[in-house]
Amino acid sequence: QLQLVESGGGLVQPGGSLRLSCAASGFTLDYYAIGWFRQAPGKEREGVSCISNSGSGTNYGRFTISRDNDKNTVYLQMNSLKPEDTAVYYCAARRGGAIWCPPNGMDYWGKGTLVTVSS
């Protein structure tokens, strides 16, 4: 069974950090681009970051994406978290490998992990 499983979410205070993990089972991520997305209550899903199969990632400010193909896992390091970062975070995989992660073009999705930033 092909599966993506996110972990690492939880409650963190503003200014804190979390590292999310996205582990694949049933297939290898070697040939997939991986994206992180998030959806806050009452808002549309939005892209957070994307990484190619070779490890080229889109990193914006506080969030850094990385991957370990030996562990079949992709990570999202989130620093200086703000209350507005509160959301369910999802990872998704797209066959092809290039650094392109359109929300409607991903092949597999995880079920998400909740990140709550609050004091």
Side-chain angles (χ1 to χ4, degrees), residues 44-116:
E44 292 188 358
R45 182 177 56 193
E46 63 178 353
V48 174
S49 193
C50 179
I51 191 166
S52 71
N53 65 326
S54 63
S56 297
T58 58
N59 295 309
Y60 301 109
R62 300 178 291 116
F63 294 0
T64 301
I65 192 170
S66 62
R67 67 190 297 157
D68 185 338
N69 283 354
D70 289 339
K71 295 183 178 178
N72 221 23
T73 301
V74 174
Y75 305 97
L76 184 69
Q77 177 68 41
M78 304 188 297
N79 297 326
S80 302
L81 284 162
K82 304 176 181 180
E84 51 263 42
D85 295 319
T86 295
V88 177
Y89 285 70
Y90 302 88
C91 66
R94 184 187 63 79
R95 285 185 297 268
I99 185 169
W100 183 55
C101 296
N104 295 326
M106 307 305 286
D107 296 304
Y108 304 109
W109 287 85
K111 294 183 178 180
T113 184
L114 176 62
V115 172
T116 303

Side-chain angles (χ1 to χ4, degrees), residues 7 20-21 33 35 48 99:
S7 62
L20 305 183
S21 298
V48 174
I99 185 169

Side-chain angles (χ1 to χ4, degrees), residues 19-37:
R19 188 177 80 156
L20 305 183
S21 298
C22 171
S25 62
F27 69 111
T28 177
L29 292 180
D30 288 14
Y31 306 106
Y32 289 78
I34 305 298
W36 281 99
F37 302 82

